[in-house]
Amino acid sequence: MPNDCISYQNSGYFSKLIVDYLDEKPNLKQLYNHFPKIENFKLQIDEKKANFPVENRHVLVSELEKQYAGFEISEVSSSNIQLLKQANTYTITTGHQLNLFTGPLYFIYKIASTINLCKQLKTEFPKHDFVPIYWMATEDHDFEEINYFNFKSKKVKWNRESFGPVGRLSTDGLQEVFELFSSELGIGSNADDLRNLFTKSYLEHSNLADATRFLANELFKNEGLVIIDGDSTDLKKLFIPYVKKELLQQNSFKNVMETNEHLKDYFVQVNPREINLFYIEDNLRERIIFEDNKFKINNTDITFTRDEILAELENSPEKFSPNVILRPLYEEVILPNLCYIGGGGEIAYWLELKSNFEANNVTFPMLLIRNSVLLSTQKQADKADNLELFWSDLFSNQQELFDKKTKEFSEFTIDFTTQKEHLKKQFESLFAIAVKTDKSFTGAVKAQEIKQIKGLENLEKRLLKAEKRVHTDKLERILLLQNELFPNQSLQERKANFSEFYLEVGSSFLEKVLAELQPLEQEFKIIVL
């Protein structure tokens, strides 16, 4: 069985910014607080302790108790909620959209990474407690990004319209989705478990936020996960001073744009607005714009004077929703958080935000790339072994992989480097003669050298092509295996849904993921189910 490791940096699936961050390049150090190493968490704890009001803890716990009313909750999760009142308790947080039935696999990996980091920190710092938090992105409105999941290469989709925050969206219409999914599952106890999970999550809850809370709670009920919905009046009351500052001073635009100038050699993940807030109601989520000395709600006739919008903020803070620039600040204001765990794209936009945190006197969290995983069956691992493949081979570009393996399978060397070097030495003596005559002869020698080198390169390509035909069977088996593990030549974790693997191995799937993920390691985890 292949047993090599694939670092994130060498996988080919992370941006230059994230690779440089993981390599701790000096030019990026000003964009984060402490790099996520176990020894650095003590520094982060000390900073957060000195800069997090105890009264925020009580508001947080009170709100969580309200949000969990009517839900069955495990003893460990209930205990974790109460621990948040204590000054020596901190959170590790991940966030994700309310994807239907969890969406891609990396939803599972994010939460597992968060849970496992809390366990590791408790071992390292036994006098403190650490609570894993899943922040539900209930105020997002990108319904088309979350209204489906893939099951065995088929899209299971919820067809309906959505205009406001997705967390408030009614679950009406999901019976039809369930029937389609159920018909694909087949028979067996694992299939029945998945049917039951979908039914209890989506058909027995009236909105998408509650359905997602139930689902995540059910999957991780024994791990102490605490799930939070930021779409809350009481939590947003804590954020009023920051919203007011955004409306009147609009400093986040200036702060983030200055940072983005520092990132000009990289792809910038997000760009700020002049005002980084939405105005939301059940069926409305639109940007707040300042024009003609008035605050306007985009695509509506709603307008406010300065005094009116400040009164609206005091009376109805739940109507003010932070966008991607301000949501991280909101999270860190209401949570005693040490570290945010996210994918490469998320960490890329968090790296734009430190200066804005400093301007608001809020401690910037540590930023950790979530665990990435490749799931394989034992049969697939055996195939890789039989085909003399390393796991890193399967991460390769398909054409490069074919070329590499063809050369390895061939009985002779498909590399004319020696011949090309020999040819170049022969031409060196011709050039020595050429420089003693006119320039036209020198040009003729150079042209002939290029022509013959090109001829050798073409012969090399033709020989490689001929050898590919000889080894067609093995190469086709490699192709099939890579396509199984990398659907559409993309990462499995970005395409497949957990249900596909749960169907095969049941609850041991989640147990194995939790047992094997090491959040502070910077390499793909290969899990053979």
Side-chain angles (χ1 to χ4, degrees):
M1 184 189 300
N3 60 2
D4 57 314
C5 298
I6 304 97
S7 71
Y8 294 156
Q9 294 95 317
N10 293 330
S11 70
Y13 284 97
F14 287 88
S15 69
K16 184 178 186 299
L17 174 61
I18 296 303
V19 169
D20 285 355
Y21 173 64
L22 291 172
D23 287 338
E24 299 181 67
K25 290 289 180 70
N27 63 309
L28 296 180
K29 286 192 181 295
Q30 70 185 72
L31 303 183
Y32 57 91
N33 196 8
H34 303 293
F35 194 77
K37 296 177 180 177
I38 195 70
E39 62 270 22
N40 288 341
F41 275 91
K42 180 63 170 67
L43 298 171
Q44 192 72 30
I45 288 170
D46 291 343
E47 288 182 27
K48 192 67 177 182
K49 182 178 182 178
N51 196 28
F52 191 77
V54 66
E55 55 268 26
N56 288 24
R57 291 180 176 274
H58 293 287
V59 173
L60 173 63
V61 171
S62 175
E63 176 60 27
L64 285 168
E65 289 171 342
K66 283 191 278 186
Q67 291 188 10
Y68 272 95
F71 287 85
E72 286 188 22
I73 183 171
S74 68
E75 272 189 40
V76 63
S77 289
S78 179
S79 174
N80 275 347
I81 290 173
Q82 297 308 315
L83 280 173
L84 289 168
K85 293 178 183 175
Q86 306 302 318
N88 66 335
T89 299
Y90 298 92
T91 63
I92 303 297
T93 302
T94 192
H96 199 69
Q97 295 169 296
L98 307 189
N99 293 72
L100 187 62
F101 214 47
T102 76
L105 274 164
Y106 62 77
F107 172 90
I108 302 292
Y109 305 150
K110 275 184 168 183
I111 294 178
S113 300
T114 305
I115 290 166
N116 284 355
L117 181 56
C118 286
K119 292 177 181 178
Q120 188 174 353
L121 289 171
K122 182 62 177 175
T123 300
E124 189 72 20
F125 305 102
K127 293 182 180 179
H128 296 82
D129 290 301
F130 305 92
V131 176
I133 297 285
Y134 162 39
W135 179 286
M136 295 192 295
T138 54
E139 296 178 49
D140 282 4
H141 70 296
D142 297 319
F143 184 63
E144 293 300 316
E145 292 184 5
I146 68 168
N147 68 340
Y148 70 93
F149 63 95
N150 296 311
F151 180 75
K152 294 186 174 180
S153 301
K154 293 182 180 178
K155 182 177 279 191
V156 180
K157 187 175 181 181
W158 182 16
N159 291 305
R160 65 161 298 163
E161 290 186 325
S162 173
F163 301 100
V166 294
R168 303 182 189 183
L169 188 63
S170 167
T171 52
D172 290 346
L174 279 168
Q175 177 69 40
E176 185 179 328
V177 177
F178 169 73
E179 289 168 2
L180 171 63
F181 180 44
S182 180
S183 68
E184 295 288 340
L185 283 170
I187 60 173
S189 60
N190 292 341
D192 290 340
D193 287 347
L194 289 167
R195 288 188 184 93
N196 186 54
L197 183 59
F198 192 102
T199 297
K200 287 186 173 296
S201 299
Y202 293 100
L203 306 187
E204 296 181 10
H205 292 92
S206 61
N207 62 63
L208 194 55
D210 285 347
T212 305
R213 181 187 298 276
F214 180 90
L215 175 61
N217 184 63
E218 192 67 16
L219 291 172
F220 296 100
K221 59 187 174 186
N222 298 321
E223 302 298 332
L225 182 68
V226 174
I227 302 157
I228 188 166
D229 181 355
D231 189 5
S232 152
T233 300
D234 286 345
L235 293 179
K236 286 189 175 175
K237 283 179 182 176
L238 299 177
F239 200 55
I240 285 176
Y242 305 90
V243 174
K244 183 176 181 180
K245 192 174 179 181
E246 179 71 8
L247 290 169
L248 301 184
Q249 299 178 23
Q250 302 172 22
N251 284 335
S252 59
F253 175 79
K254 172 177 168 289
N255 295 330
V256 177
M257 287 300 290
E258 286 177 357
T259 299
N260 286 358
E261 180 62 24
H262 182 79
L263 289 167
K264 62 185 177 183
D265 293 333
Y266 300 95
F267 172 78
V268 174
Q269 194 70 24
V270 294
N271 284 299
R273 303 279 189 181
E274 285 81 2
I275 295 176
N276 293 281
L277 295 164
F278 289 98
Y279 188 81
I280 60 172
E281 294 175 343
D282 285 352
N283 291 299
L284 175 71
R285 186 179 187 261
E286 291 287 351
R287 286 168 45 217
I288 300 174
I289 301 169
F290 187 68
E291 285 181 348
D292 304 324
N293 214 31
K294 283 194 173 184
F295 294 91
K296 300 179 181 180
I297 309 306
N298 198 36
N299 295 320
T300 74
D301 295 325
I302 303 171
T303 62
F304 298 94
T305 64
R306 180 186 184 279
D307 290 341
E308 287 170 343
I309 203 163
L310 293 180
E312 181 80 346
L313 175 61
E314 291 293 333
N315 296 327
S316 303
E318 71 278 1
K319 292 189 175 184
F320 294 79
S321 175
N323 74 355
V324 66
I325 296 293
L326 281 187
R327 187 179 65 240
L329 185 70
Y330 177 40
E331 292 175 18
E332 299 301 314
V333 165
I334 66 174
L335 293 172
N337 196 48
L338 301 177
C339 178
Y340 184 83
I341 298 179
E346 289 176 280
I347 300 306
Y349 74 70
W350 275 84
L351 287 169
E352 299 177 37
L353 305 178
K354 183 168 178 275
S355 63
N356 198 46
F357 272 70
E358 291 170 342
N360 285 282
N361 193 31
V362 175
T363 302
F364 196 61
M366 299 168 84
L367 303 176
L368 178 63
I369 303 290
R370 63 167 172 82
N371 284 122
S372 278
V373 178
L374 177 65
L375 298 173
S376 168
T377 64
Q378 185 61 55
K379 187 177 179 181
Q380 288 169 329
D382 291 343
K383 283 181 183 178
D385 204 26
N386 292 335
L387 290 165
E388 303 171 49
L389 291 166
F390 291 102
W391 290 119
S392 57
D393 290 331
L394 290 161
F395 276 78
S396 302
N397 169 278
Q398 212 159 74
Q399 191 57 55
E400 291 173 359
L401 176 58
F402 277 17
D403 290 352
K404 177 186 176 186
K405 297 312 294 183
T406 300
K407 290 175 181 178
E408 290 178 9
F409 295 150
S410 180
E411 294 179 5
F412 43 81
T413 303
I414 309 175
D415 184 350
F416 288 0
T417 300
T418 302
Q419 289 87 345
K420 282 183 269 189
E421 290 300 320
H422 180 67
L423 188 63
K424 286 178 181 178
K425 285 182 180 178
Q426 288 182 317
F427 272 92
E428 283 176 9
S429 60
L430 286 174
F431 277 117
I433 295 171
V435 294
K436 295 177 181 178
T437 182
D438 62 58
K439 291 182 180 179
S440 63
F441 186 63
T442 303
V445 172
K446 185 63 180 175
Q448 190 61 222
E449 181 189 31
I450 293 170
K451 181 179 179 180
Q452 293 198 32
I453 294 290
K454 188 71 175 174
L456 281 174
E457 289 173 349
N458 287 335
L459 284 173
E460 190 176 55
K461 288 176 184 176
R462 289 182 67 177
L463 180 57
L464 181 62
K465 191 173 181 180
E467 279 295 283
K468 283 181 181 178
R469 288 195 292 270
V470 172
H471 299 286
T472 296
D473 178 62
K474 279 187 175 180
L475 294 174
E476 285 183 350
R477 282 189 283 149
I478 289 173
L479 174 65
L480 288 171
L481 179 59
Q482 191 184 48
N483 287 343
E484 286 175 8
L485 295 171
F486 293 81
N488 299 322
Q489 297 183 49
S490 179
L491 286 178
Q492 176 194 74
E493 63 185 29
R494 296 178 185 172
K495 299 291 182 182
N497 180 263
F498 86 97
S499 57
E500 190 172 325
F501 301 90
Y502 191 102
L503 185 64
E504 297 301 319
V505 299
S507 60
S508 67
F509 163 67
L510 288 171
E511 291 165 6
K512 194 147 194 175
V513 167
L514 284 162
E516 297 205 22
L517 295 194
Q518 300 294 326
L520 296 180
E521 290 182 358
Q522 297 177 5
E523 60 187 35
F524 270 84
K525 186 69 180 179
I526 314 297
I527 297 180
V528 180
L529 298 173

